[in-house]
């Protein structure tokens, strides 16, 4: 079984001021994914449908008074529906390409404790896969057991690691808007070199950019999740979904340039 993450930065216009789908990318990505040749679970990121709201409302931050509580309740409600809308666009496009996709809302069956998944019935997703469906989950705003924060954001990457372990995935593909993990930010440093294999012993400078509109830690957050997965013996691969043909090759078992985390 394979788990495929479709990065929010490829599916949406991430720097837009309001939730905006990248229609051209979504269409091509769905078309490429339709070449899958194994059981598959898809998880997509949030892009401009989640990070702007999650940041505005500070979901996952401490709640110190009733007013803040109300503000965060409003934020949770808006973030959930915005993500549901993106999920609807993604699922509809996958269906258009012939994939039996069904959207599953993570916040309806997942609760976190200190922002990590603790309550989650993976049987539902597994059963859909066994019946021949392609479940499509996504990074979401959920309830948290810690009374100080009450709510949390779970990234698609956290879902990937959780479900890869629970469903014993033998292939984990993460698509992003860069070729993989680099020695430095390839968008700002042209001399940055692609690292083909990352293990927990690889020396990486993981800088979390305070200014980015990404509440789940960008590439640094992704690597942390994937190294945790590697610890359990499950390898994963980061590839660039913006390069035509990459996702198609990856889901159909062909080699693609990228970074393997093992
Ligand atoms: O784009 C974040 O998911 P990600 C989810 O996979 C929200 O990090 C709601 C911001």
């Amino acid at each position: 079984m394979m788990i495929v993450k479709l990065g929010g930065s490829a599916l949406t216009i991430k720097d837009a001021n309001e939730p905006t789908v990248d229609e051209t990318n979504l269409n091509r990505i769905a078309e490429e994914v339709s070449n899958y040749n194994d059981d598959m679970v898809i998880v997509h990121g949030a892009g401009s449908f989640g990070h702007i709201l999650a940041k505005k409302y500070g979901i996952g931050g401490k709640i110190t008074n009733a007013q803040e509580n109300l503000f965060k309740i409003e934020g949770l409600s808006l973030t959930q529906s915005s993500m549901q809308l993106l999920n609807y666009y993604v699922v509809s496009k996958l269906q258009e390409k012939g994939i039996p996709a069904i959207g599953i809302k993570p916040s309806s069956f997942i609760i976190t404790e200190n922002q990590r998944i603790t309550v989650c019935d993976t049987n539902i997703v597994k059963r859909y896969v066994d019946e021949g469906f392609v479940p499509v989950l996504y990074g979401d705003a959920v309830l948290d057991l810690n009374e100080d924060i009450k709510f949390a954001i779970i990234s698609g990457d956290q879902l990937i690691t959780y479900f890869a372990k629970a469903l014993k995935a033998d292939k984990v593909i993460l698509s992003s808007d860069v070729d993989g993990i680099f020695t430095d930010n390839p968008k700002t440093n042209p001399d940055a070199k692609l690292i083909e294999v990352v293990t927990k012993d690889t020396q990486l400078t993981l800088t979390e950019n305070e200014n980015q509109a990404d509440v789940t830690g960008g590439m640094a957050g992704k690597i942390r999740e994937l190294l945790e997965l590697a610890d359990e013996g499950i390898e994963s691969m980061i590839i660039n979904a913006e390069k035509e043909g990459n996702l198609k090759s990856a889901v159909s078992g062909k080699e693609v340039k990228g970074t393997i985390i093992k």
Side-chain angles (χ1 to χ4, degrees):
M1 197 210 63
M2 67 175 126
I3 301 201
V4 181
K5 162 103 191 267
L6 304 178
S9 47
L11 297 175
T12 74
I13 313 281
K14 201 164 178 179
D15 303 331
N17 294 325
E18 54 181 42
T20 314
V21 171
D22 187 328
E23 291 289 349
T24 316
N25 267 358
L26 174 58
N27 189 59
R28 181 185 48 78
I29 285 170
E31 177 77 47
E32 291 198 29
V33 171
S34 71
N35 291 280
Y36 71 111
N37 62 358
D38 195 359
D39 288 344
M40 176 169 68
V41 172
I42 293 178
V43 176
H44 65 79
S48 48
F49 283 71
H51 290 279
I52 301 170
L53 287 163
K55 194 167 192 172
K56 174 176 172 195
Y57 286 93
I59 297 168
K62 245 190 174 152
I63 299 171
T64 53
N65 57 51
Q67 203 185 342
E68 251 174 38
N69 201 1
L70 280 177
F71 184 64
K72 295 235 192 311
I73 286 174
E74 179 180 299
L76 197 88
S77 142
L78 291 175
T79 310
Q80 282 197 9
S81 17
S82 180
M83 285 309 299
Q84 243 179 317
L85 183 62
L86 176 61
N87 183 248
Y88 173 76
Y89 291 138
V90 174
V91 167
S92 309
K93 190 54 84 180
L94 293 169
Q95 289 169 342
E96 202 182 295
K97 306 292 178 187
I99 301 172
I102 47 150
I104 301 183
K105 182 179 178 171
S107 48
S108 65
F109 71 105
I110 290 176
I111 299 180
T112 52
E113 181 164 12
N114 294 321
Q115 332 226 17
R116 304 298 297 174
I117 299 170
T118 47
V119 178
C120 174
D121 183 356
T122 55
N123 283 316
I124 300 166
V125 172
K126 185 169 183 327
R127 172 76 197 277
Y128 276 115
V129 172
D130 290 345
E131 295 298 337
F133 293 91
V134 173
V136 185
L137 295 94
Y138 50 94
D140 206 355
V142 301
L143 293 168
D144 194 284
L145 294 174
N146 179 346
E147 277 302 310
D148 291 338
I149 60 173
K150 288 189 180 178
F151 315 117
I153 296 293
I154 44 167
S155 66
D157 298 329
Q158 189 180 157
L159 286 168
I160 289 275
T161 48
Y162 195 90
F163 277 89
K165 281 185 223 166
L167 305 185
K168 302 189 179 15
D170 42 30
K171 196 169 189 181
V172 179
I173 302 162
L174 284 97
S175 66
S176 180
D177 59 348
V178 286
D179 284 347
I181 299 169
F182 283 77
T183 50
D184 196 2
N185 186 349
K187 290 184 176 165
T188 50
N189 179 0
D191 294 329
K193 302 241 171 335
L194 180 73
I195 308 173
E196 285 182 5
V197 178
V198 166
T199 67
K200 64 176 184 313
D201 299 325
T202 310
Q203 294 291 326
L204 293 168
T205 343
L206 299 179
T207 44
E208 252 141 287
N209 181 356
E210 283 294 314
N211 296 322
Q212 70 184 6
D214 193 328
V215 295
T216 46
M219 192 55 92
K222 201 184 289 301
I223 297 169
R224 262 195 300 275
E225 294 292 347
L226 298 178
L227 281 174
E228 196 191 305
L229 194 58
D231 240 7
E232 303 269 325
I234 302 176
E235 267 184 35
S236 54
M237 177 161 211
I238 301 181
I239 61 164
N240 192 345
E242 291 195 347
K243 290 204 174 141
E244 206 169 331
N246 266 359
L247 257 172
K248 177 178 174 182
S249 298
V251 297
S252 55
K254 301 204 181 82
E255 246 180 58
V256 189
K257 179 177 155 192
T259 299
I260 293 174
I261 295 96
K262 64 179 190 181

